[in-house]
Amino acid sequence: MTDSVRSKPWPSRRVRAFARAAGVVAFALTPGAVGHAWESPLYDASWSPTPALEFETDKLVQDFSYAGYHRGERQIPDVEGPIFDAVSGFGADPTGATDSTTAIQQAIEAAAQAGGGVVLLPEGLFHVAPPPGESAALSIGTSGIVLRGEGEGRTFLVNTSTDMRGKRVVSVTGPSPYWFWNNGTSYPLTEDLLSPTKRLPVSNTAPFAVGDWIVVRNTITTDWVNEHNEPDWLGYENSMSGLAWSRQVVGIDEAAGELEIDVPTRYALKTRDSARVFIRNGALFEVGIEHLSIGNVQHEGSQWGESDFSDPATSAGQVHSSRLISFLNVRNGWIRNVASFQPEENGTSTCHMLSNGIVLRECRGITIRDCHLQRPQYGGGGGNGYMFLLQHTSDCLVENCVAEFNRHGLVFASMGSSGNVLRHCTDRTTGKATGSTGGYNTSGRASDHHMHFSHSNLVDNCTADDSWFTAHYRPYGTPPKHNLTSAHSVFWNTRCEGSPTGFAVHSQQSRYGYAIGTRGTVTAVRTTGLSSEKTNPVDHVEGVGQGDTLDPPSLSLDQWRRRLGFPDPDAGPDRNLYFPNAGLALSAATVAWGDAADPPAGASVGWRQVDGPASVVFDDPDRLSPEVAFPAPGVYALELVASLDSSLYDDFPDSEKSDQVTINVHPPGVSEVVLSPSDDAYVRDGAANVDDNFGTDSWLFMKEVGGTDYDREAYLKFDLGALAGLAIDSAELVLHSGETDLDATGALDHVADDAWSESTVTWANRPGPAVFRENWSPASDGVQRFDIGSLVAGEAATDEVVSLRLRIVSQTNSGTVFKFASKESPKADERPELRVRIREEFPSFADWMAGFADLSGEERGEEDDPESDRIGNLAEWIHALDPSRPSAPPLTTRIDGDNHQWLEFSLNGRLPGTAWLRIEASDTLDAGTWTLLPGVSFEMTGGPVAYSVRARLPTPPVGTTRRFYRLAYQNADD
C-alpha cells in the first residue's frame, strides 16, 4: 500500500429493472432495440394533474390514474359469500340438456333478497335464452351480486336464442334516471371552467352532501358547434347528448360556493352552454361477472349485408346490436376472466357470438380485466361486431384484454366517454367477422374513438396485430355523423405488429391529440385524413419507433403511483468497502412517495440482508439511512423495503416495493488507485484547424460527419508508474459527458505512440497508429465507463504509459458535437479518472515470525509471549509490534474537542487477504454481551508496512454509564 491509495466506492455498472405493476397485474416491457431512456416534455418532473393550461388552446396530458374499480384505489374483491349455487340450490342443469335460465335467475333473485352474494355456476355447460317479452336471458338489478363461474374453460354459459335484436345474454342495469335524463333539478355552474379542475362553482351548494354522486354536463349549442368548426352538426344540436361525467362530491366549500369532486374535469365547460350539475345517486354498485366462458348459438340465416341490420326480418336484423354482457348505470363493478367461446352447435364456423361482446353505457369505475372476446357472426354497420364498447362511460379500465376477429375491437363512443383507459390490451385481426358469412367481410376496422367527441381517453401500452388504433375524423353514419371523434386523447407507447394501413396510430383529433412512443414492426403515426381543416392544429407526435425506451413505459401506472403515494425505493449505488473499513452508512438510499413531499400516513421503510458470507449488523434497520457493519470480507446484498400499511391499499403489489444494493467488502491487500490524465486534448480536422492545438480546453470534443473541416477526436494519456510491480485486478476509465444527444456510436482505440503532448498535439501531428478496442454508445446517465483492465495491466508492465483515443464513428445529427469533460474542467468531480483496483500478496504469520531470528522455536507460537508484555505474538503481528521487545498496549482511546470518541491502534500492512477486523462493545465485560458496532469509520495513515489507525466510535446509547471496546481479528483461513 502507498500514499497514493485512497478508498472510494467502485462505480457500479448495474442496470436496474423495474416491474411496472398494475393494481393487481404486473408486467414488464422488454426492449426490442438498443436505446436510451427518454421522456415526453408533456409528462416530465414538472407535470401537474391540474395544470394552468386550457383545453381549447394548449397541449396537456391529463391524469388518467382514476380509471377502474374505486379509482384504482382498491383491489377487486374475492367475495366469499353468501353463496347461491345455481345447481345444488336452484336446479340449473350443468349438462346443457335442459334450459337453465329460470334456475339461474332464481339464484340471482335470492341473492338480491339477501342483500347481495355470489351466484355460483359450477363447472359445466348452462343453456339460457331471453324469456318471452324480456330483453335479456339473465338480469341483475341489485347491488352486491357477483355472477361467478369456476373458471374460464370450465364454466360455459350458452345463449341458444338467435332472436336477439337489441337483447343481452347477461344484463346488469341500475335504476333510472340515467345520466342524460333531465328530470329533477339541475344546478348551473357560475363560471367557465377551461382547465382541468376538481372545483365546481355552483349556484347553490345546499342540496349537496359529501358522498353524493353527480353528473356534470353541458348542452351542445350552436356556439359550441361553431367553436369546434363542425358545420355538419348544425341543426342537430338537440340530438347531441352533450359532455357528461360521473363524479362524486368529496368536499363542499359553502363560503366559496364550490363543490370538490373526486376526479378532475375532462374538457372545457362554459356557462354559455348551460354547464350544470345533477344529483344522480341511483346506480348499482359492487356487481361483478367473473371466471366463465360465454357464447351464442349462431343464426342459420344468410342475409348479412352491411346495411341489412336495418330490416328486422333479415338474419342481420335479428342479431343487430345484441350483446353478451351489458352494464348500464353501474359504478365500481368488474368483469374479469371472461372469454367468449364457440358453442358446439356452431360446427366449423368458429362463431362465438352473434354481434357484440361487452358493452358499458353510462358507467363509472368499472374494471374489465383478463378477458378475451372474438369472432362475431355479424360485423355489419349500425353498431355490430364490437368486442369491448365503452359508450357514455367515465373513468373505466380495460386491462390485459384481447379483442380478436372483429369489426372494431376496443371502442370509445359518444360525448359521455372520457377518462377511460385501455392498458396492455391487444386488438388482433381487425375487419373480419366469422360464422356463416366467413372471410374478410366487415367494412369497419381497427380499435377506435368511434363517434361524437369521445374525449380525453388513454390507450396505454396496447398492441395492434394486423390492426391499428385511431381517433380520426369519421364522416360516416346517419346524421349527425360521427365526424369529430375525440379531443385530448393519448396513445402512449403503442406497439404494432402488422397493420393493413401501414401505420400504428391514426390521430386526427379536435384541439390536440397525442401519439407518444410507438414500437414494433409498424411504428408510423398518421395525423392527416378527411376534413383535416376541421381538426387543426395537427396532433402532437413524438418518439416514433422509440417506445421501447419511453420513460415511464406506462403513463397511467406512473400517474397512479404518483397520486396514491405508492413507494419507489432506491437503495443507492453499489458500493465497495476497502480494508480496514468494516462498515458504512447507507446514506444514498431514497424513497419517493408519489408526488408527496413527505411519506403518507402508514408509510414505513426497512432494511434486510438478502445474501452475504456473514450476518450484517444494522444500528437501526427501520430507518432510511442506517449504519451497517460487515463482520467478514465478501459480497453482500442488502434490500431496502418501503411499504404502506393501510387498509385502502391491502394486497396491492405497489404498496410494498424493494430495491437491492450490493456491497463488495474487500479484504486487506485490495485497494484502489485513482489516476488523472497526465495529458488530454482534442484535435480538429479542416484547413483552418489542422494545426491548431486545443490542449487547454475544458472539453474533449468528438464528431464524425463524413467530411473535412468538422471531424474531431479526443486523446488521453495516463502515467502508470504508480502501478509498477502491483497486481492489477481491474481498471476502468470514467468520463463525464456534456452532451444530451445520445444517438451516436463511438469507438475507443489504444494509441501505441505515447510521445504526444497535450500542449502540442494537433490534427496534423496526432499520434498513431491506433488499435480499435470497442464500440460504445453515449451513456444515458452522462457517465461513460470503459473496462480496460487488460490494457492497463499490459502497459503498466512495459512502458508504464497508456494512450487512448475516443472518436465518433457514426451520428444521425450532423450538428451535434459530442464531448467529455477534460482534466481542465472547472468541475473537479467530472474530470477524467482511471480507477485501478490492485491486489497485494502478503506473507503468512509464520513467514513474519521467521524474520525474528532471536526467538527460539518455543517462542514462535501465536499465543506465545516471549517478552512477557502480555501481548501475544498474534496480536504483535496484527499491530506491527516487535515480538522480541516489550510493547505498550496496542489499543488506546481518545476524546477529541468535538466530544467524539476514538479507538486508536497500529496495524500491520501485511495482513493476509483473508483477514478482517471488527470493533465490538460491551457494557459489562460478560461473555455473550459483546456486540458488533455498525457503521464504524476508520482513518488510516502511514504504511506500507505499519499504519496508524483510528476508528471513530458511535455515541453510546442513552443511559449507558460505561462501555468497553475491543478489536477482534478474524482470519477465514483459521
Side-chain angles (χ1 to χ4, degrees):
M1 298 182 184
T2 68
D3 290 336
S4 64
V5 176
R6 58 187 173 100
S7 296
K8 64 183 298 184
W10 191 253
S12 167
R13 304 188 80 170
R14 177 182 59 168
V15 178
R16 288 198 181 94
F18 294 96
R20 301 284 186 171
V24 294
V25 180
F27 63 90
L29 300 180
T30 303
V34 176
H36 302 278
W38 62 279
E39 62 183 14
S40 169
L42 301 182
Y43 187 74
D44 56 17
S46 65
W47 175 84
S48 169
T50 53
L53 299 172
E54 296 189 0
F55 288 109
E56 294 184 317
T57 57
D58 297 319
K59 293 182 180 181
L60 60 94
V61 169
Q62 298 176 62
D63 187 352
F64 295 100
S65 67
Y66 297 91
Y69 180 74
H70 284 281
R71 298 180 305 228
E73 296 167 7
R74 299 184 191 174
Q75 292 276 32
I76 295 175
D78 292 319
V79 179
E80 295 183 357
I83 301 292
F84 299 87
D85 190 314
V87 173
S88 63
F90 300 90
D93 180 4
T95 70
T98 60
D99 185 87
S100 295
T101 304
T102 300
I104 298 173
Q105 190 64 46
Q106 287 176 346
I108 291 172
E109 297 304 323
Q113 292 176 10
V118 176
V119 176
L120 179 64
L121 302 181
E123 183 172 357
L125 176 68
F126 300 89
H127 280 165
V128 296
E134 298 293 333
S135 62
L138 303 174
S139 297
I140 297 174
T142 303
S143 294
I145 293 178
V146 178
L147 181 63
R148 177 185 296 163
E150 288 195 328
E152 174 195 333
R154 297 180 63 195
T155 296
F156 297 90
L157 190 63
V158 181
N159 182 53
T160 58
S161 173
T162 58
D163 183 15
M164 291 293 290
R165 183 180 181 89
K167 297 180 182 181
R168 288 88 68 197
V169 179
V170 180
S171 175
V172 181
T173 303
S176 61
Y178 307 136
W179 292 12
F180 294 100
W181 289 32
N182 283 328
N183 60 329
T185 304
S186 66
Y187 301 91
L189 298 187
T190 58
E191 63 183 72
D192 293 348
L193 302 178
L194 304 181
S195 304
T197 181
K198 289 185 176 182
R199 312 291 292 187
L200 300 181
V202 294
S203 59
N204 184 7
T205 61
F208 297 90
V210 171
D212 276 345
W213 287 91
I214 62 176
V215 171
V216 185
R217 58 168 304 190
N218 74 348
T219 296
I220 299 304
T221 63
T222 299
D223 287 337
W224 192 97
V225 173
N226 288 332
E227 198 169 60
H228 288 79
N229 193 25
E230 189 42 82
D232 289 348
W233 285 348
L234 291 174
Y236 297 97
E237 293 90 339
N238 292 335
S239 62
M240 305 287 287
S241 59
L243 307 180
W245 314 314
S246 175
R247 297 292 184 264
Q248 190 171 30
V249 177
V250 296
I252 300 174
D253 187 337
E254 295 180 2
E258 292 181 341
L259 305 178
E260 183 182 357
I261 54 178
D262 62 336
V263 178
T265 56
R266 296 293 184 190
Y267 196 68
L269 289 174
K270 296 185 178 181
T271 58
R272 175 202 68 194
D273 304 320
S274 300
R276 59 199 183 276
V277 177
F278 287 89
I279 297 176
R280 287 287 185 267
N281 283 319
L284 295 191
F285 296 87
E286 306 299 330
V287 175
I289 299 177
E290 58 189 27
H291 312 317
L292 54 84
S293 296
I294 185 169
N296 206 105
V297 173
Q298 72 183 29
H299 197 294
E300 295 302 328
S302 59
Q303 294 173 290
W304 303 106
E306 178 76 7
S307 300
D308 285 345
F309 70 89
S310 60
D311 183 355
T314 66
S315 51
Q318 290 171 9
V319 306
H320 167 61
S321 193
S322 63
R323 306 161 186 183
L324 292 181
I325 299 174
S326 172
F327 274 31
L328 171 61
N329 197 22
V330 182
R331 302 189 190 112
N332 295 329
W334 66 91
I335 304 170
R336 61 175 170 176
N337 299 112
V338 171
S340 64
F341 80 105
Q342 177 187 344
E344 185 179 71
E345 295 89 339
N346 294 356
T348 61
S349 71
T350 74
C351 168
H352 285 205
M353 66 189 76
L354 296 177
S355 177
N356 296 311
I358 294 174
V359 178
L360 305 184
R361 184 180 174 96
E362 298 179 51
C363 292
R364 154 72 194 269
I366 307 300
T367 290
I368 304 174
R369 176 175 290 141
D370 298 320
C371 295
H372 188 169
L373 304 180
Q374 57 180 310
R375 300 179 186 274
Q377 184 172 14
Y378 182 51
N384 292 283
Y386 301 179
M387 297 300 93
F388 299 87
L389 171 61
L390 280 60
Q391 186 166 21
H392 290 311
T393 288
S394 286
D395 303 287
C396 292
L397 172 66
V398 183
E399 182 174 50
N400 292 351
C401 291
V402 177
E404 192 170 8
F405 286 95
N406 52 72
R407 181 183 181 100
H408 297 298
L410 300 124
V411 181
F412 304 111
S414 305
M415 290 184 168
S417 282
S418 67
N420 302 294
V421 174
L422 308 180
R423 183 166 63 219
H424 220 233
C425 293
T426 297
D427 181 10
R428 182 179 296 123
T429 316
T430 187
K432 294 183 180 180
T434 185
S436 61
T437 52
Y440 190 94
N441 55 7
T442 74
S443 63
R445 293 187 284 173
S447 286
D448 65 354
H449 290 67
H450 194 71
M451 58 190 292
H452 300 159
F453 213 79
S454 50
H455 56 285
S456 303
N457 298 294
L458 170 64
V459 178
D460 187 359
N461 270 281
C462 290
T463 296
D465 186 351
D466 191 23
S467 186
W468 71 98
F469 292 94
T470 176
H472 70 283
Y473 191 85
R474 304 184 73 248
Y476 311 123
T478 57
K481 294 184 177 181
H482 299 170
N483 291 0
L484 295 174
T485 62
S486 188
H488 290 295
S489 287
V490 179
F491 298 93
W492 186 274
N493 209 353
T494 304
R495 177 171 171 254
C496 186
E497 298 299 335
S499 167
T501 60
F503 48 79
V505 173
H506 187 183
S507 184
Q508 185 196 9
Q509 303 181 43
S510 178
R511 306 313 190 214
Y512 284 105
Y514 313 90
I516 301 175
T518 59
R519 54 200 170 97
T521 60
V522 178
T523 59
V525 175
R526 185 184 182 188
T527 57
T528 60
L530 298 173
S531 299
S532 295
E533 71 280 0
K534 296 181 181 181
T535 58
N536 282 330
V538 175
D539 288 352
H540 177 91
V541 177
E542 61 177 315
V544 173
Q546 300 179 42
D548 284 322
T549 52
L550 175 57
D551 185 25
S554 169
L555 175 63
S556 59
L557 287 177
D558 192 73
Q559 292 176 329
W560 179 69
R561 275 190 287 270
R562 289 175 66 162
R563 177 171 65 84
L564 298 183
F566 282 165
D568 188 5
D570 183 348
D574 293 345
R575 302 282 296 275
N576 285 272
L577 198 61
Y578 294 96
F579 184 85
N581 288 299
L584 53 79
L586 297 169
S587 56
T590 61
V591 178
W593 302 93
D595 287 334
D598 300 309
S604 64
V605 298
W607 285 88
R608 59 191 177 206
Q609 182 177 355
V610 177
D611 197 8
S615 296
V616 305
V617 175
F618 296 97
D619 68 334
D620 183 357
D622 296 325
R623 67 186 181 98
L624 180 60
S625 301
E627 294 183 339
V628 58
F630 302 90
V635 178
Y636 295 81
L638 308 179
E639 187 171 53
L640 172 63
V641 181
S643 62
L644 291 173
D645 182 14
S646 168
S647 60
L648 187 63
Y649 308 122
D650 279 351
D651 300 322
F652 269 58
D654 272 37
S655 64
E656 178 176 294
K657 291 188 71 178
S658 62
D659 187 42
Q660 289 189 14
V661 62
T662 298
I663 312 295
N664 193 351
V665 180
H666 297 280
V670 177
S671 56
E672 186 181 63
V673 176
V674 180
L675 302 175
S676 297
S678 60
D679 296 83
D680 63 8
Y682 78 92
V683 296
R684 178 171 179 170
D685 192 10
N689 302 112
V690 293
D691 294 319
D692 290 343
N693 172 259
F694 302 97
T696 59
D697 202 283
S698 59
W699 292 104
L700 302 173
F701 290 104
M702 300 155 290
K703 187 174 184 178
E704 167 58 47
V705 293
T708 59
D709 298 336
Y710 303 107
D711 292 350
R712 298 162 179 81
E713 297 174 349
Y715 291 83
L716 300 100
K717 180 165 59 175
F718 292 89
D719 184 348
L720 308 179
L723 306 178
L726 300 178
I728 296 174
D729 274 355
S730 61
E732 189 173 48
L733 174 65
V734 181
L735 304 173
H736 292 264
S737 175
E739 178 54 55
T740 58
D741 187 351
L742 305 178
D743 200 357
T745 300
L748 173 69
D749 305 318
H750 172 218
V751 178
D753 181 4
D754 299 321
W756 64 277
S757 165
E758 69 173 21
S759 61
T760 60
V761 66
T762 67
W763 183 273
N765 68 13
R766 66 193 191 280
V771 178
F772 169 80
R773 288 192 57 83
E774 64 176 281
N775 282 325
W776 52 273
S777 297
S780 59
D781 63 357
V783 182
Q784 202 79 40
R785 297 181 171 93
F786 301 91
D787 182 359
I788 55 173
S790 60
L791 174 62
V792 170
E795 293 296 286
T798 54
D799 59 4
E800 299 185 358
V801 177
V802 63
S803 292
L804 303 167
R805 178 175 70 181
L806 290 157
R807 56 192 172 95
I808 301 296
V809 295
S810 67
Q811 61 186 92
T812 59
N813 185 350
S814 61
T816 301
V817 182
F818 296 87
K819 56 184 178 292
F820 293 124
S822 77
K823 71 183 183 67
E824 285 79 17
S825 172
K827 297 181 179 180
D829 60 346
E830 294 187 359
R831 296 168 185 167
E833 289 184 334
L834 181 61
R835 300 175 180 176
V836 184
R837 187 173 295 159
I838 60 173
R839 172 177 38 84
E840 297 180 76
E841 300 293 343
F842 298 133
S844 66
F845 168 80
D847 293 337
W848 174 78
M849 285 297 300
F852 298 95
D854 295 341
L855 298 180
S856 65
E858 293 77 15
E859 296 175 318
R860 295 181 177 276
E862 291 184 353
E863 304 302 324
D864 292 337
D865 182 12
E867 75 281 43
S868 301
D869 58 4
R870 304 183 66 182
I871 304 174
N873 285 338
L874 183 62
E876 301 266 8
W877 174 55
I878 294 169
H879 293 292
L881 303 177
D882 188 340
S884 62
R885 294 188 176 89
S887 304
L891 301 180
T892 59
T893 58
R894 181 178 64 84
I895 298 178
D896 63 18
D898 294 324
N899 207 32
H900 295 143
Q901 190 170 16
W902 297 82
L903 184 67
E904 298 180 335
F905 53 93
S906 60
L907 186 66
N908 193 336
R910 300 299 188 185
L911 293 179
T914 53
W916 196 246
L917 300 178
R918 49 193 292 173
I919 295 179
E920 300 173 342
S922 170
D923 296 336
T924 64
L925 287 178
D926 294 336
T929 65
W930 291 95
T931 59
L932 178 63
L933 291 179
V936 174
S937 60
F938 289 84
E939 295 179 2
M940 187 165 62
T941 58
V945 176
Y947 289 90
S948 295
V949 183
R950 64 177 192 161
R952 180 174 169 178
L953 303 174
T955 303
V958 176
T960 302
T961 57
R962 64 175 183 173
R963 175 155 273 206
F964 303 94
Y965 299 96
R966 71 182 184 185
L967 180 68
Y969 166 81
Q970 64 186 62
N971 189 346
D973 286 347
D974 293 343

